[in-house]
Amino acid sequence: MRITRVLSAAALMLGLAVTPAVADSTPSPSASEDGGAPTEAGTSFRTATEIEQGQTATASGSTGDYLYWSFPADAGQRPTVRATVKLPDTHAAETWQIDVYDGLRRRQSCQSGAQTRAVAADAASVEVACVLRTVRAWSEPWAGDPLPGTYYIRLTVVDLATSDLGLPVDAEVRVDSKDIGGAAAVDGELAHPLVPGAGAISESGEDEYTKKTLLASLEPSGGWASGWWSDRWVWTAIGGALAALAGIGGYALTRGSGRPSRVPPGA
């Protein structure tokens, strides 16, 4: 009976330990509330249009333009960036490319996805994609790993006929992330995410003045975690509970009934 009570208490402990992870892994409501999604793109890193993960941003431009967007990504996420470009009715063969840069403007490699794609003449559209490596909470400065902060998307055509330069195009961009969890956890964290802060720009005119410009204001819906929580905590708790159960079970099996046998007097 005592062992049964111990097992029940241990099972309850495991349930309580797993509950936070289940709550964290529950997908948030789809961000198809794209009513407020951006409808234009920037033309440089400084003017990149901010988008949230799960939003489908659109923009109109001209063939040969550089189109820029930015989005936040936190530790443990593996972002996937997809872009679709609707091409003009008549055009020559051309090649489109999507690049992703981190908050230090280091170009991040894609572990999968068609980052560059050539299309035939008169094709209606082209799709490119980039699946980034998992964002780490901390890394050596020389490693170049993806770190928490702002990421920049650059979409452009890299090979086209001169006659097609300036033709109108329409682009759609979307970022989604997979939560990798404790498998990507590390034993360090950044003091601050790599997010460009506010800068001052001086402009000369009749009166010189300073205008404050916020270069990045978006952050993940739950705030910057910086690697504080992962499901590795859950597995650590489960391991500790199983070790305790093994100890209790071994003790119960080896201690016997706990009552000394009676020896008849004079035996």
Side-chain angles (χ1 to χ4, degrees), residues 174-234:
R174 183 181 178 91
V175 181
D176 294 290
S177 283
K178 179 180 180 181
D179 188 3
I180 303 304
V186 294
D187 294 327
E189 59 182 299
L190 296 181
H192 302 284
L194 302 179
V195 178
I201 301 175
S202 296
E203 297 183 1
S204 299
E206 293 183 3
D207 296 316
E208 186 169 302
Y209 65 96
T210 301
K211 180 174 66 177
K212 298 289 184 179
T213 303
L214 188 63
L215 299 183
S217 59
L218 290 181
E219 63 179 35
S221 57
W224 296 106
S226 298
W228 180 84
W229 168 261
S230 73
D231 55 10
R232 190 166 62 169
W233 291 85
V234 176

Side-chain angles (χ1 to χ4, degrees), residues 18-215:
V18 173
T19 300
V22 173
D24 277 358
S25 62
T26 303
S28 56
S30 175
S32 57
E33 52 235 14
D34 286 342
T39 56
E40 59 182 16
T43 56
S44 68
F45 286 104
R46 290 186 61 84
T47 60
T49 298
E50 293 182 325
I51 62 175
E52 296 180 359
Q53 293 193 29
Q55 280 187 325
T56 300
T58 59
S60 297
S62 301
T63 307
D65 288 346
Y66 286 94
L67 304 179
Y68 287 83
W69 295 266
S70 67
F71 66 93
D74 205 1
Q77 293 183 336
R78 181 179 294 166
T80 298
V81 183
R82 294 183 176 87
T84 301
V85 183
K86 296 179 182 178
L87 303 172
D89 295 336
T90 303
H91 62 84
E94 53 194 45
T95 302
W96 284 80
Q97 180 171 303
I98 190 169
D99 296 297
V100 182
Y101 299 81
D102 65 11
L104 298 178
R105 300 186 186 180
R106 301 177 301 183
R107 184 175 180 272
Q108 293 294 321
S109 59
C110 303
Q111 68 173 12
S112 62
Q115 182 181 6
T116 302
R117 178 165 286 177
V119 293
D122 300 335
S125 64
V126 58
E127 295 183 4
V128 287
C130 175
V131 180
L132 292 175
R133 295 171 293 164
T134 304
V135 178
R136 296 166 59 89
W138 180 86
S139 177
E140 295 288 350
W142 46 260
D145 294 318
L147 294 169
T150 299
Y151 283 77
Y152 296 93
I153 305 167
R154 184 177 72 182
L155 176 65
T156 190
V157 61
V158 294
D159 182 22
L160 80 161
T162 305
S163 58
D164 287 349
L165 191 64
L167 292 179
V169 293
D170 294 316
E172 290 185 357
V173 171
R174 183 181 178 91
V175 181
D176 294 290
S177 283
K178 179 180 180 181
D179 188 3
I180 303 304
V186 294
D187 294 327
E189 59 182 299
L190 296 181
H192 302 284
L194 302 179
V195 178
I201 301 175
S202 296
E203 297 183 1
S204 299
E206 293 183 3
D207 296 316
E208 186 169 302
Y209 65 96
T210 301
K211 180 174 66 177
K212 298 289 184 179
T213 303
L214 188 63
L215 299 183

